[in-house]
Amino acid sequence: MNAAPRIQTTAGRLAALGFADGARAERLLDELGPEAVGDFALLDDIVRAADPDLALTTLSRLVERDASVLGAFRDDPDLRRRVLGVFGLSAALGEHVVRHPECLPSIRSPRWPTLGDLREEMLVAVGADPDAAEPVAEPATEGVAAGPGTSGPAMEALRVAYRNRLLHLATRDVTGECTLAEAAAALADLASAALEAALAIARAEVADARDVRLAVIGMGKCGARELNYISDVDVVFVAEPKEGVDETKALQTATRLAQGMMRACSASTPEGALWEVDANLRPEGKMGPLVRSMESHLAYFRRWAKTWEFQALLKARPVAGDLELGQEYVAAVNELVWQAAARPHFVEDVQAMRRRVEAHVPAGEADRQIKLGPGGLRDIEFAVQLLQLVHGRSDPLLRRRATLSALAALSRGGYVGRDDAKALAEAYTFLRQVEHMLQLHRLRRTHMVPSDTADLRRLGRGLGMTTDPVGEFTTTWKRHALEVRRLHEKLFYRPLLQAVARLPETEARLSTAAATARLEALGYADPEGALRHIAALTSGVSRRAAIQRTLLPVMLGWFADAPDPDAGLLGFRQVSDKLGTTPWYLRLLRDETAAADRLARLLGTSKYVTGLLLHAPEAVAMLGSPAELAVRPAATLAAEAAAAVGRYAEDAETAVAAVRALRRRELFRTACADLSGLIDIEEVGQALSALNDVTIQAALDTAINKVTLERRAPFPTRMAVIAMGRLGGLESSYASDADVMFVHAPLPGAVERDAAVAAHAVAEETRRLLALPAPDPPLQIDAGLRPEGRQGPLVRTIASYRAYYDRWASHWEAQALLRARFCAGDAELGREFVALVEPLRYPVEGISADAVREIRKLKARMEAERLPRGADPALHTKLGRGGLSDVEWVAQLIQLRHAGAVPVLRTTRTLDALRAAAGEGLLDPADEEVLAQAWLFASRIRDALMLVRGRAADSIPTPVKERVLLARALGYPPEGTEDFVEDYRRATRRARTVVERVFYEG
């Protein structure tokens, strides 16, 4: 009979077994000796390790230190399996065993000690009596505090004892003898025991330590008993003086104790450090006192605390020190925690928390971050905690500290679907297991999935993936991340649909009361109304209802992120009612996520946009891409308007209605681009002014055609429309009227009287057609800046204008003509008019000192008389201090004085005039910047007021809600409303200082 074939320990065979470096593995095995080479069970356990090369390397180093290890492994296969499993995952714990091989017997037991056993073990390690009421490691000389260095041996002993137990836990974890939840709880208990021992060390260093009761409150993962292998241990400290002790002195003593405890854990020693003790979750964070009394804590939480601080207190648990005091503290703060969702700024704080989470992800790391990245652990934890805050007010069963137990409670209560809760629990468990293995390797705090193939292979094999460790791990990780990315749909919004729609699910549904609470917490002011809208959109068996059930869970979140969620949802229902049966509409929203997102945010921000869309819902189609929102060239719009006029040549009202519909569409495009940040305020003004030019031209052509048909004779005169005011300056706003003047020039041979009558009829018809009641926004033609104002003729000949200006023109008329610009009609006539007024608005010698005084008096009178009664001068964007009028009058005065000699000043635009003045040395560049910033800010506010409210206004509103909506539309965060108002006050205050110096004194 042949002998059994001997397993070949060649490099190739070892590589086939799983070693990355077969030759090195062969050499290390040979160095272990013949017994090791022939020990197939030993080799099998090494090969089963997550990283066989790392396991063999560590074993080789251990055998060099203590050769008896191999015999111990042969005698105890269970010990061998446990230790080699840890060696294959953790280089750091392997290093600990090499330094302290005497620790191996302590891990033979599969049983994990109780918290009491761990506490006793850690206290004994530092030389403290575990039975003492307040254990002390090495008592300092009576009345004298020992220095930090005197506790060195105790700190080293604490680290060795702690890592011995950490090794024990890792062996149980690696071999599957405990679940993730059990491992995390064991880590938290081990940290609590270490904190107690560290506090004992601190008591030995602090005189009068017995004069104070000090409780250490675990926060975060420590408080929730879901700690990582390596993590900052979050704590807060609460202290009370013992009877007869001065409180101030007691708190000073407690602070020294807390500092000593933190140092005992984090100080570097020959055995390294344990971990950082992080007390930044205390009231006022790093700026607040390290230790407070119970009364001080509660006073802060009742008056100053933010929602995120109550979210943090969800995890609070006494972990060391005076546990009775700690329990009193937790009971007291719990009464506040479960009312946090009813706080006035709950929604704003929640949104701020979400932004803070996103901001903590370093650029370039998001795709590999399993904690803070998209689809990471923080997404799950954040959402679970938020649901607890919302529904835990009325359901005590949700008041759990640990994430997985809280998620299970939410599922049992019907707040989260069973399938959703299961998927999220699986994702959370997987991500935490990966996190543990990442940290075990070097015992370093990390949440980054490595890119190195060898590291990925170790992770995959550690999770039991053997066929293709790298591929299987990467696929599983990405799948879980994608599942978690739909977190808000799963945890927040789909249950809202269950509450109101007949969905094919058998699990418990969210009650109406719970759905109302959730919507209210998310920022909906009328949650009952929101539920009615959701029901109307999703109920039924139609294709439309089915698609809406798919869309709404996501869109409800987008509405909640918008300034006015209720308005957004209402607008969406109204638009959907109009377009719900249109095939492309639902297909667009379903397939083009960006379009649905943009629509939700626009509807939740702007009543103006919503109104435009309701009258032309097909405009939703242009939300598909930013390119669709690009401002269209004026020539293109003019051609389209001319085609509409030609198409309805026989019907003036229908023709102009078509042009006004075109204008409505382009107003929608411009407003959407504006609110989406695709164009700035100067570009908005130019786009709106160009659109008004096109509209006036089309209406003028229509009116001329109509009057010609009615006269049954050729039109006897040429006509031009001169833009004035903001239209002339290409600075139109959404609410602007069109300030214009009409000029005509009779054709050769025409009777002047007949030409005047015809021109007047066209001007009146143009105004009428553009102001007709219609679903489209009107364009009011205001000719009040014409000679003699409203008392003068509506239309004049160019000769009449010349005669008037030569004889009667006042300073204010010259100033008004600075904005004069041809905008419609006969271009040659328009150029003639502009040439006519050039000497008046740009006098060669400038204006006289008397004229300057008159202009200043007029401006002062306007400030005193034209500001609406009750308006705050500091908040009125047009006539208030440092507002639009102030800046524009500065620019115009400079033009009147210097444009005759400085051609670059000859512009109708305010900012261009200021820039030119600064460039020519007529205005300090710093002053120009201050004036421009105020003008731009005020212009943005005026436009935003129209967009948000759907009606014109000039003052920043007083009601808080309206201010919040306005600030959000301008890009400020939910909590930034007061910052917005203060920013405007600051900008205009600086501008007013410049105005008083340059306009009134210069």
Side-chain angles (χ1 to χ4, degrees):
M1 186 174 181
N2 294 329
R6 179 176 179 271
I7 293 180
Q8 298 298 314
T9 57
T10 62
R13 177 61 173 165
L14 290 171
L17 288 173
F19 288 94
D21 188 342
R24 184 172 182 275
E26 181 182 13
R27 177 174 56 79
L28 291 176
L29 283 169
D30 286 341
E31 290 175 358
L32 290 177
E35 292 184 1
V37 172
D39 190 342
F40 301 144
L42 174 66
L43 182 60
D44 187 53
D45 282 340
I46 293 174
V47 169
R48 289 177 184 274
D51 186 341
D53 297 86
L54 177 60
L56 178 56
T57 299
T58 306
L59 176 62
S60 175
R61 295 182 59 216
L62 178 59
V63 171
E64 285 181 14
R65 178 73 181 268
D66 184 354
S68 68
V69 168
L70 290 176
F73 280 2
R74 280 194 301 273
D75 295 340
D76 191 341
D78 183 60
L79 176 66
R80 180 186 66 223
R81 179 172 57 88
R82 289 165 175 271
V83 172
L84 290 176
V86 171
F87 282 2
L89 266 179
S90 178
L93 285 177
E95 179 67 29
H96 177 76
V97 176
V98 170
R99 286 202 316 273
H100 300 283
E102 70 277 4
C103 72
L104 288 178
S106 67
I107 63 174
R108 291 179 186 273
S109 171
R111 186 187 72 84
W112 180 252
T114 65
L115 175 59
D117 294 336
L118 289 171
R119 178 178 178 274
E120 180 177 347
E121 187 176 318
M122 296 299 122
L123 287 170
V124 168
V126 301
D129 180 3
D131 295 325
E134 295 177 337
V136 177
E138 296 174 356
T141 304
E142 184 176 352
V144 180
T150 62
S151 56
M155 289 196 291
E156 288 185 41
L158 174 60
R159 282 146 180 72
V160 172
Y162 178 87
R163 292 211 175 87
N164 286 348
R165 275 301 169 197
L166 198 66
L167 173 68
H168 181 194
L169 177 60
T171 64
R172 300 183 71 244
D173 193 2
V174 168
T175 54
E177 294 170 18
C178 63
T179 65
L180 169 72
E182 291 169 339
L187 285 165
D189 287 348
L190 181 55
S192 296
L195 289 171
E196 193 68 70
L199 187 56
I201 293 174
R203 288 193 183 103
E205 297 182 339
V206 176
D208 303 323
R210 292 182 174 83
D211 289 349
V212 65
R213 300 172 65 195
L214 176 66
V216 184
I217 309 299
M219 305 287 282
K221 285 183 166 58
C222 180
R225 297 187 76 230
E226 50 185 8
L227 200 61
N228 298 330
Y229 274 95
I230 291 295
S231 177
D232 290 353
V233 174
D234 295 307
V235 301
V236 296
F237 298 100
V238 59
E240 292 293 328
K242 290 190 176 177
E243 187 173 353
V245 178
D246 176 73
E247 181 176 308
T248 300
K249 181 182 177 182
L251 288 176
Q252 291 171 346
T253 301
T255 299
R256 291 196 297 274
L257 280 174
Q259 291 168 337
M261 188 204 81
M262 296 170 72
R263 183 173 58 249
C265 294
S266 60
S268 179
T269 73
E271 291 293 336
L274 291 183
W275 15 253
E276 290 292 326
V277 178
D278 189 341
N280 289 338
L281 291 177
R282 66 186 184 267
E284 300 180 79
K286 293 180 181 179
M287 307 305 295
L290 182 62
V291 183
R292 289 176 183 256
S293 67
M294 175 89 75
E295 182 181 352
S296 177
H297 272 281
L298 296 179
Y300 172 85
F301 289 131
R302 290 186 180 118
R303 186 171 184 184
W304 303 111
K306 300 287 187 181
T307 300
W308 71 264
E309 293 178 277
F310 292 108
Q311 184 177 354
L313 287 169
L314 280 170
K315 309 288 189 182
R317 176 178 66 92
V319 293
D322 192 317
L323 297 182
E324 182 180 350
L325 175 60
Q327 291 290 2
E328 293 174 10
Y329 174 87
V330 171
V333 297
N334 274 346
E335 294 181 10
L336 303 175
V337 166
W338 299 111
Q339 297 303 316
R343 291 163 57 86
H345 301 294
F346 180 78
V347 178
E348 290 85 349
D349 288 341
V350 166
Q351 291 169 328
M353 282 187 286
R354 288 173 62 182
R355 286 193 300 276
R356 192 154 44 242
V357 168
E358 295 168 2
H360 274 75
V361 184
E365 292 186 6
D367 290 343
R368 309 199 73 81
Q369 258 272 4
I370 61 170
K371 179 180 180 181
L372 301 177
L377 289 164
R378 187 58 59 83
D379 277 352
I380 301 173
E381 294 163 351
F382 178 88
V384 168
Q385 292 162 21
L386 186 55
L387 283 175
Q388 287 180 277
L389 287 173
V390 171
H391 299 295
R393 296 168 60 193
S394 56
D395 190 345
L397 295 178
L398 302 182
R399 300 176 184 180
R400 313 295 178 95
R401 294 189 181 96
T403 301
L404 288 177
S405 62
L407 183 56
L410 287 164
S411 178
R412 286 192 297 271
Y415 303 99
V416 178
R418 282 198 299 268
D419 291 342
D420 293 344
K422 179 182 177 184
L424 285 163
E426 289 175 355
Y428 186 77
T429 300
F430 174 82
L431 293 172
R432 286 297 304 276
Q433 287 173 330
V434 173
E435 184 181 43
H436 279 190
M437 283 191 287
L438 287 172
Q439 295 177 349
L440 267 174
H441 184 50
R442 298 289 183 189
L443 285 185
R444 291 177 183 166
R445 185 172 179 264
T446 179
H447 309 284
M448 286 285 293
V449 174
S451 55
D452 182 74
T453 302
D455 292 330
L456 291 173
R457 181 172 180 268
R458 183 182 68 253
L459 289 174
R461 286 173 60 90
L463 290 166
M465 302 168 180
T466 56
T467 304
D468 176 16
V470 176
E472 288 181 61
F473 167 75
T474 303
T475 300
T476 305
W477 168 40
K478 296 297 185 183
R479 174 172 57 81
H480 283 305
L482 286 172
E483 191 74 5
V484 174
R485 283 181 189 180
R486 299 185 299 184
L487 186 65
H488 288 285
E489 174 186 350
K490 288 180 171 295
L491 289 188
F492 282 90
Y493 305 114
R494 186 164 180 79
L496 294 169
L497 273 65
Q498 287 179 279
V500 298
R502 295 182 178 180
L503 300 183
E505 297 185 19
T506 57
E507 60 192 35
R509 293 169 181 250
L510 203 63
S511 69
T512 301
T516 299
R518 186 173 298 192
L519 284 166
E520 186 176 10
L522 290 167
Y524 289 83
D526 180 14
E528 292 85 0
L531 287 175
R532 289 194 296 273
H533 298 322
I534 294 170
L537 287 163
T538 59
S539 296
V541 295
S542 66
R543 177 176 176 274
R544 172 197 171 198
I547 294 178
Q548 293 284 24
R549 287 195 289 268
T550 302
L551 288 170
L552 262 184
V554 179
M555 296 193 72
L556 284 170
W558 290 332
F559 292 137
D561 288 338
D564 192 342
D566 300 84
L569 181 54
L570 171 60
F572 181 66
R573 178 184 175 184
Q574 292 171 328
V575 173
S576 294
D577 285 345
K578 288 180 176 288
L579 287 176
T581 58
T582 306
W584 63 262
Y585 168 64
L586 291 174
R587 186 168 59 247
L588 171 73
L589 298 185
R590 181 192 63 199
D591 299 339
E592 298 287 344
T593 304
D597 185 1
R598 190 172 285 119
L599 175 63
R601 296 181 192 279
L602 289 169
L603 293 174
T605 302
S606 173
K607 290 183 179 179
Y608 182 78
V609 166
T610 302
L612 292 173
L613 193 56
L614 289 178
H615 293 301
E618 66 280 357
V620 169
M622 70 176 66
L623 299 180
S625 72
E628 286 291 323
L629 297 178
V631 175
R632 300 177 68 200
T636 302
L637 296 177
E640 187 175 345
V645 171
R647 192 162 50 248
Y648 302 107
E650 303 297 322
D651 187 341
E653 293 187 2
T654 302
V656 172
V659 173
R660 287 176 62 180
L662 179 154
R663 180 171 180 266
R664 175 191 58 214
R665 184 194 69 202
E666 297 308 315
L667 285 172
F668 176 78
R669 192 191 309 274
T670 303
C672 292
D674 184 1
L675 289 168
S676 300
L678 301 177
I679 55 177
D680 61 29
I681 190 63
E682 287 192 82
E683 292 170 315
V684 170
Q686 293 174 55
L688 295 176
S689 299
L691 180 58
N692 288 342
D693 286 356
V694 168
T695 305
I696 294 170
Q697 179 68 65
L700 182 69
D701 290 343
T702 302
I704 289 174
N705 185 60
K706 180 182 179 182
V707 170
T708 300
L709 291 174
E710 290 174 347
R711 286 168 48 85
R712 297 182 181 179
F715 194 64
T717 188
R718 295 182 297 146
M719 284 194 70
V721 182
I722 307 301
M724 302 288 285
R726 297 185 74 82
L727 177 61
L730 296 172
E731 298 161 354
S732 293
S733 69
Y734 297 102
S736 291
D737 292 342
D739 289 312
V740 303
M741 294 194 299
F742 292 98
V743 59
H744 80 104
L747 293 171
V751 177
E752 188 170 327
R753 174 64 181 169
D754 183 47
V757 171
H760 183 84
V762 166
E764 289 286 15
E765 182 65 7
T766 300
R767 297 170 71 185
R768 185 188 73 85
L769 289 171
L770 291 176
L772 283 173
D776 311 300
L779 180 58
Q780 300 290 347
I781 300 296
D782 187 343
L785 291 175
R786 65 187 185 268
E788 301 177 82
R790 302 189 188 281
Q791 304 302 314
L794 180 60
V795 187
R796 286 177 183 260
T797 64
I798 196 163
S800 176
Y801 275 107
R802 180 179 292 108
Y804 176 85
Y805 288 138
D806 286 345
R807 187 173 183 183
W808 302 109
S810 63
H811 300 309
W812 76 262
E813 287 178 303
Q815 185 177 348
L817 286 169
L818 288 168
R819 300 290 200 108
R821 175 183 63 84
F822 166 74
C823 74
D826 188 289
E828 183 180 351
L829 179 59
R831 285 191 292 271
E832 289 179 28
F833 181 88
V834 170
L836 165 67
V837 301
E838 291 283 286
L840 183 61
R841 62 180 177 176
Y842 306 138
V844 176
E845 301 297 329
I847 56 175
S848 66
D850 288 341
V852 171
R853 282 193 294 273
E854 287 299 318
I855 290 172
R856 288 171 175 168
K857 288 179 182 178
L858 178 61
K859 176 70 169 66
R861 189 165 67 248
M862 286 178 56
E863 291 178 13
E865 297 175 0
R866 291 187 58 187
L867 192 71
R869 181 175 298 177
D872 184 346
L875 299 179
H876 197 279
T877 60
K878 182 178 180 181
L879 301 174
R881 293 190 291 268
L884 295 171
S885 179
D886 267 4
V887 177
E888 288 164 0
W889 280 60
V890 169
Q892 290 159 16
L893 182 58
I894 292 173
Q895 288 179 292
L896 289 170
R897 298 175 85 173
H898 302 288
V902 183
V904 73
L905 287 172
R906 298 172 189 178
T907 174
T908 63
R909 303 184 62 191
T910 302
L911 295 187
D912 283 354
L914 292 175
R915 292 166 186 146
E920 293 296 321
L922 301 171
L923 181 66
D924 189 294
D927 290 343
E928 182 269 326
E929 183 179 357
V930 167
L931 293 172
Q933 287 178 351
W935 190 92
L936 290 168
F937 204 164
S939 295
R940 289 179 61 216
I941 291 172
R942 287 189 82 204
D943 273 4
L945 282 164
M946 183 66 177
L947 290 172
V948 169
R949 303 170 70 179
R951 63 183 188 277
D954 290 318
S955 284
I956 295 175
T958 301
V960 173
K961 181 180 179 181
E962 290 191 25
R963 279 194 179 181
V964 170
L965 296 178
L966 179 61
R968 293 287 305 280
L970 289 166
Y972 284 81
E975 68 276 14
T977 303
E978 292 309 313
D979 290 339
F980 150 63
V981 176
E982 184 52 39
D983 286 350
Y984 180 73
R985 288 180 184 274
R986 185 183 304 111
T988 52
R989 191 164 54 240
R990 295 174 65 203
R992 181 64 184 190
T993 300
V994 173
V995 170
E996 290 177 349
R997 173 164 41 81
V998 174
F999 183 83
Y1000 286 110
E1001 299 173 10

